[in-house]
Amino acid sequence: MPLGNALLELTASSEQILFEEAQEFEAFLNYLWESYSFDFTGYKRPSLMRRVQQRMEVIAIASYSDYINYLKKSPEEATLLFESLPVNCTAFFRDQQVWDEIATEIIPQIIANKSSDELIKVWSAGCATGEEAYTLAILLIEALGIEQFKQRVKIYATDASQEAIYQARQGSYSRNQVVGIPPGLLAKYFEQIDQRYSFRQDLRRRIIFAQSNLLQDAPISKVDLLVCRNTLIYFNLEGQLRALVRLHFGLRDSGFLVLGRSESPTATTGSALFSPVNQQQRIFTRVPKACTPKLFLKAFHQQKYKLPTQGIYSVAS
Ligand SMILES: C[S@@+](CC[C@H](N)C(=O)[O-])C[C@H]1O[C@@H](n2cnc3c(N)ncnc32)[C@H](O)[C@@H]1O
């Protein structure tokens, strides 16, 4: 067979294998949804597949159908799988410039637009082990003072991972984990016990940690400042839309949304839901009633917004 034809056949057969694997993986995701009500369909496929396969390698299982049988026989495996899927990496004051902008521009605006006894509602969505929520608490205390903070601020911090939320609630970090906190703030807000640093308990009470899924659960409402950083990147286009619609619902009209450095709502939803306040720092504000989320999702499902049909299953992510 001429080399060109052989190559074409090889490409066609590897595409066929890729297609079959993708179908098996979708059936596997359906099984997770039907058996555990956990919806991974909104996640980018290549990285999700890689993580499931890593878990399968650990227990020496080669196919998704064998893995389903294993899950049926070993109930504890579902927890191990779910906890291994999301990436929990985070840090205090991660990307310093954004936090400078939040401290000098955003928080002062939120305070200025409220009367002195009004509640300030903050939401850290995809908070991982809590560093982002405690960073927000520190900046708000610096702006308001401890007494006002205790009386007026509520920080909701949510994540899909139960284990991450458990650690976040403890508020206890190693020396390595607190390196990003300026020494003055570390001394002011953390108690050092042996080699661990614990966020002050009296202040921790204003932070409510809860397990919650951005793709499935009801959002917090009437939020003034919503920080959802480095979480949308794990979602595919439909997942991003579903999450952004929830974030839009969660914000009050003048509220601010802060995303991660490589994330943008406008790339997915145009200017329908959010408009930029500081594009470079990924800070946006809610577009009030410009296009209701319901209408927006309807337009999406009527194919006015098209899902990419190529590359979803490509090996690189
Ligand atoms: C890379 S961490 C980001 C942590 C923090 N926001 C930051 O930027 O440092 C991504 C977090 O998103 C969470 N996550 C992934 N899928 C989620 C979902 N569907 N709902 C809520 N949280 C989710 C993961 O558990 C993980 O803790």
Side-chain angles (χ1 to χ4, degrees):
M1 183 191 298
L3 186 61
N5 286 356
L7 277 176
L8 272 180
E9 218 165 80
L10 198 63
T11 314
S13 69
S14 54
E15 270 176 9
Q16 179 63 24
I17 291 168
L18 214 55
F19 180 71
E20 279 166 13
E21 193 186 357
Q23 280 191 320
E24 281 171 28
F25 190 62
E26 291 309 306
F28 177 72
L29 293 184
N30 269 342
Y31 172 76
L32 293 185
W33 169 241
E34 281 165 9
S35 306
Y36 306 99
S37 300
F38 208 106
D39 184 2
F40 282 109
T41 55
Y43 286 73
K44 282 180 186 156
R45 293 302 184 268
S47 46
L48 189 60
M49 260 176 151
R50 210 170 38 235
R51 284 175 166 272
V52 172
Q53 281 165 2
Q54 278 166 359
R55 187 66 218 145
M56 285 162 63
E57 269 166 34
V58 171
I59 48 178
I61 278 181
S63 76
Y64 295 115
S65 52
D66 285 349
Y67 195 23
I68 289 178
N69 289 333
Y70 185 82
L71 279 160
K72 285 179 184 164
K73 279 190 287 184
S74 324
E76 70 286 351
E77 175 58 21
T79 312
L80 295 172
L81 171 67
F82 294 144
E83 289 300 330
S84 73
L85 294 182
V87 181
N88 289 336
C89 74
T90 185
F92 289 97
F93 292 95
R94 183 182 190 181
D95 303 326
Q96 180 70 50
Q97 285 180 339
V98 184
W99 296 105
D100 290 344
E101 187 68 16
I102 293 173
T104 57
E105 298 294 332
I106 305 302
I107 290 177
Q109 273 188 61
I110 293 172
I111 296 172
N113 288 335
K114 287 192 179 268
S115 58
S116 60
D117 57 353
E118 232 179 314
L119 181 72
I120 296 174
K121 242 172 145 180
V122 178
W123 178 16
S124 165
C127 67
T129 41
E131 288 87 331
E132 187 175 85
Y134 292 116
T135 302
L136 282 161
I138 292 172
L139 295 186
L140 284 151
I141 300 169
E142 288 295 298
L144 287 163
I146 284 186
E147 282 320 304
Q148 280 270 310
F149 172 80
K150 283 183 180 172
Q151 282 163 23
R152 292 181 58 194
V153 176
K154 259 198 181 155
I155 300 175
Y156 296 87
T158 60
D159 198 282
S161 160
Q162 202 169 5
E163 175 58 27
I165 286 296
Y166 174 78
Q167 286 183 36
R169 258 194 214 116
Q170 311 300 308
S172 167
Y173 299 94
S174 67
R175 174 79 220 152
N176 279 347
Q177 286 172 303
V178 298
V179 285
I181 307 175
L185 297 180
L186 184 64
K188 194 167 165 188
Y189 296 112
F190 288 80
E191 283 156 355
Q192 190 185 350
I193 302 160
D194 299 328
Q195 297 302 306
R196 307 284 299 176
Y197 295 78
S198 292
F199 192 75
R200 276 177 49 177
Q201 198 162 8
D202 58 324
L203 304 172
R204 224 189 294 162
R205 291 205 187 98
R206 302 305 295 176
I207 311 176
I208 298 132
F209 289 102
Q211 187 191 14
S212 175
N213 190 321
L214 259 183
L215 298 175
Q216 291 172 247
D217 297 324
I220 314 287
S221 64
K222 299 205 164 46
V223 171
D224 297 292
L225 174 57
L226 204 176
V227 177
C228 181
R229 306 191 68 231
N230 308 304
T231 299
L232 295 180
I233 38 168
Y234 297 104
F235 302 156
N236 60 22
L237 185 58
E238 179 164 11
Q240 289 187 19
L241 278 172
R242 280 161 58 189
L244 284 166
V245 161
R246 282 178 163 76
L247 300 181
H248 182 268
F249 178 88
L251 272 181
R252 62 167 62 248
D253 273 353
S254 51
F256 295 99
L257 171 70
V258 185
L259 297 180
R261 266 212 305 222
S262 55
E263 297 165 329
S264 166
T266 44
T268 320
T269 65
S271 54
L273 302 181
F274 302 95
S275 59
V277 172
N278 182 329
Q279 183 78 46
Q280 206 191 349
Q281 300 306 333
R282 305 292 191 228
I283 302 177
F284 304 85
T285 190
R286 182 184 202 267
V287 172
K289 301 185 187 82
C291 169
T292 65
K294 243 186 178 169
L295 279 180
F296 192 79
L297 276 186
K298 200 169 156 204
F300 173 74
H301 287 297
Q302 286 170 346
Q303 300 286 299
K304 288 194 184 142
Y305 292 87
K306 288 213 186 310
L307 281 170
T309 50
Q310 297 209 329
I312 299 179
Y313 294 101
S314 62
V315 179
S317 59

